[in-house]
Amino acid sequence: MPETEDKPKKMSIREITDEIGKIYEGMKSLVEESQNSGEPMNGEKEEQYSRMNSRLSSLLAMRDQHYRFLDAQAAASKVMDRRSEATSQTRTEGKRGDELRKFFSGDEYRNAFGRYLKVGISGLRPDEFRALSEGTNADGGFLPSDDFLATLIEKRFQASAMRQIANVIPLGTFETQVTFENGMPTATYELEAATKTESSPTFDNLTLVPRTMRCFTKVSNELLADAPSRGPAFNVESILARQFGRVMGEKEEQAFCGGNGTAPNPKGIFSFTATRVITPVETAASTAITANDLIDVIAGLPRQYREGAVWVMNDKIFWAIRKLLLVAAVTTTTSGAAGGTYSPFAWSLGDGRLQDGEPDRLLGYPVICVNNDANNTLTAGTRVAVFGNFNYFHIGEREGVSIKVARETYLEANQTGYFAFSRHASDVSILDAFRYLRMKP
């Protein structure tokens, strides 16, 4: 049998660097030995040194090639970032934005995106691939068509109350700085000849680093193939859009409330308890809330932040406070019986849903119910509500939502996988714009 040559071993950059260090030490040892003996290397050691030097040159070339590749990759990423940022801006701004809005909402892109959901990228025709390339996301997915995206955003918006009250801003790069006032100059009355008191405003930066949320589902290929015969009411695209929007909205609301800020989680509004702290206002009792406790929270928030302030709490806390504020009427009814009603000063009743109408108001301020299971019990030490101005709670959005289709991965099960990706961050700039309602420890 003919002899087979051993294939070169694949090396990682770590292995290359380690071998460079070992060879360098070996060559150094040979040189020092020669210097100590006072004689040049010859014979076997000279040959060994030459082999080591040749290998070192090869490894250094491999290392330099790797670093040049990383530099090129970083440059390409910046280009893609600029391209995706420009695409995000031009989709909504100026003449180019008008053109792209027409394009993304047009039949060509919508049909191509629908085909992409059914057959994946490998099954697209050249004209369909060209149509979708205009909406290519920097992560390698495709931006959804306008009708798909509108349904997804609507469902995500409805499922995430935090998006409705927070300051949502676009993230143009991997990290985005939000600059805010951290201190104000002082004003004083002074005599004409008195020493002038100098003061300066101070500013600070908040760094928003996007975290990636992924939603994944699989759909039977038979269902995809039979969908047209089930009638227009059965549309796989709209079903996926609704499911992705609802699930992603619920998940991100949990993160915007209770996320600890440690990767891969965003920072939630209820999590500012160490290092950067939102001031708590404690209840008088450990397991009950009174109207006085709620008034203390409002009074504890600096006056400049009360305009536009809202209450945020879990649905269970919302109903618990409703029950606690049920008081006996001071007058009797027309029939002579004592009546009971909600205190008109405490509650102004709406329909309880911000996206559909006027929310309930507690002591004159809107109440927003959120999906936050960690702060839903009236137990000692629990932060059960936050009151504040959510213009200072920032949600950074990077690239919106992109969709990827995986057909071959689940071919054995005759299924198609769908991945939805969203990258966003959340944090508070001015902590003094919020107060916690905390049960007495």
Side-chain angles (χ1 to χ4, degrees):
M1 294 179 64
E3 295 183 2
T4 58
E5 297 183 359
D6 294 335
K7 293 183 180 180
K9 178 186 176 183
K10 181 179 179 181
M11 298 182 68
S12 66
I13 186 62
R14 175 68 178 273
E15 292 171 332
I16 293 173
T17 305
D18 288 345
E19 187 171 344
I20 288 174
K22 292 177 182 178
I23 292 178
Y24 171 79
E25 291 297 330
M27 294 175 67
K28 179 182 176 183
S29 177
L30 290 175
V31 171
E32 290 177 347
E33 183 180 341
S34 174
Q35 291 174 343
N36 291 335
S37 66
E39 297 289 338
M41 289 181 285
N42 52 35
E44 182 179 345
K45 290 188 177 179
E46 173 66 24
E47 185 178 338
Q48 181 183 0
Y49 184 88
S50 297
R51 288 197 305 269
M52 295 171 71
N53 188 46
S54 176
R55 178 58 177 166
L56 179 63
S57 299
S58 299
L59 291 170
L60 290 173
M62 292 169 64
R63 184 198 64 183
D64 293 343
Q65 289 170 358
H66 177 80
Y67 289 145
R68 286 198 300 272
F69 168 74
L70 292 181
D71 291 340
Q73 189 179 47
S77 297
K78 290 180 180 179
V79 171
M80 290 300 294
D81 280 346
R82 288 195 294 269
R83 176 187 173 188
S84 60
E85 182 179 357
T87 299
S88 177
Q89 291 175 349
T90 54
R91 287 188 74 174
T92 56
E93 299 176 3
K95 182 179 179 181
R96 176 61 173 163
D98 294 337
E99 294 173 354
L100 281 176
R101 272 194 294 272
K102 292 179 181 177
F103 176 77
F104 279 95
S105 60
D107 292 339
E108 182 183 10
Y109 191 87
R110 182 167 53 249
N111 293 337
F113 185 77
R115 277 266 298 167
Y116 170 67
L117 291 179
K118 293 180 175 67
V119 302
I121 193 170
S122 61
L124 293 177
R125 297 189 300 270
D127 59 319
E128 293 170 332
F129 184 80
R130 284 194 298 271
L132 280 180
S133 65
E134 187 71 44
T136 302
N137 176 268
D139 294 329
F142 290 101
L143 300 177
S145 60
D146 269 8
D147 50 356
F148 185 100
L149 185 61
T151 302
L152 190 153
I153 290 177
E154 178 187 5
K155 295 302 178 184
R156 185 174 67 165
F157 186 80
Q158 291 176 349
S160 176
M162 294 295 289
R163 278 190 175 271
Q164 303 169 43
I165 58 175
N167 176 32
V168 181
I169 58 177
L171 299 182
T173 58
F174 175 69
E175 293 184 358
T176 298
Q177 299 285 339
V178 177
T179 303
F180 60 94
E181 295 176 341
N182 197 32
M184 301 290 287
T186 57
T188 60
Y189 288 101
E190 296 177 345
L191 297 173
E192 183 178 358
T195 303
K196 300 298 184 291
T197 302
E198 181 181 353
S199 63
S200 301
T202 59
F203 299 88
D204 204 349
N205 287 325
L206 176 70
T207 302
L208 294 178
V209 180
R211 310 298 192 189
T212 300
M213 177 173 63
R214 183 184 70 171
C215 184
F216 167 65
T217 188
K218 292 183 290 186
V219 178
S220 165
N221 288 334
E222 294 179 358
L223 180 63
L224 291 173
D226 295 342
S229 63
R230 295 174 182 261
F234 188 84
N235 187 301
V236 175
E237 295 174 41
S238 62
I239 292 174
L240 285 176
R242 288 195 299 270
Q243 289 183 346
F244 280 147
R246 184 171 62 250
V247 172
M248 296 176 78
E250 291 174 352
K251 185 63 177 179
E252 70 180 19
E253 181 174 281
Q254 292 177 4
F256 295 155
C257 288
N260 59 17
T262 302
N265 302 302
K267 185 73 170 178
I269 188 63
F270 281 90
S271 300
F272 290 87
T273 58
T275 307
R276 301 178 65 226
V277 176
I278 290 178
T279 302
V281 177
E282 292 184 355
T283 59
S286 299
T287 58
I289 299 174
T290 66
N292 286 341
D293 295 329
L294 300 172
I295 293 173
D296 288 342
V297 175
I298 295 175
L301 186 71
R303 187 176 60 181
Q304 64 267 32
Y305 302 120
R306 291 179 201 160
E307 184 177 356
V310 299
W311 294 93
V312 171
M313 62 188 70
N314 182 275
D315 199 55
K316 293 182 180 179
I317 302 300
F318 173 83
W319 291 110
I321 292 176
R322 274 263 181 114
K323 294 176 182 178
L324 290 169
L325 292 182
L326 183 64
V327 297
V330 295
T331 59
T332 59
T333 64
T334 55
S335 63
T341 184
Y342 288 110
S343 169
F345 174 70
W347 286 102
S348 173
L349 303 182
D351 65 4
R353 295 173 296 171
L354 183 63
Q355 68 267 22
D356 292 334
E358 178 68 16
D360 293 305
R361 289 179 176 269
L362 176 58
L363 297 173
Y365 293 94
V367 181
I368 308 302
C369 294
V370 294
N371 181 22
N372 180 29
D373 293 336
N375 304 83
N376 65 357
T377 57
L378 300 180
T379 54
T382 302
R383 300 176 302 282
V384 294
V386 61
F387 176 72
N389 192 320
F390 279 79
N391 287 323
Y392 301 100
F393 181 76
H394 308 282
I395 296 176
E397 190 76 57
R398 179 79 173 114
E399 278 305 311
V401 179
S402 64
I403 305 294
K404 296 182 182 180
V405 178
R407 288 183 59 83
E408 288 76 10
T409 306
Y410 308 102
L411 185 61
E412 184 177 355
N414 195 27
Q415 294 175 322
T416 297
Y418 295 93
F419 293 85
F421 294 88
S422 176
R423 298 177 64 199
H424 45 254
S426 60
D427 210 332
V428 168
S429 54
I430 299 181
L431 297 169
D432 209 32
F434 301 91
R435 289 294 183 271
Y436 287 139
L437 173 61
R438 186 174 70 181
M439 305 305 296
K440 180 181 178 180

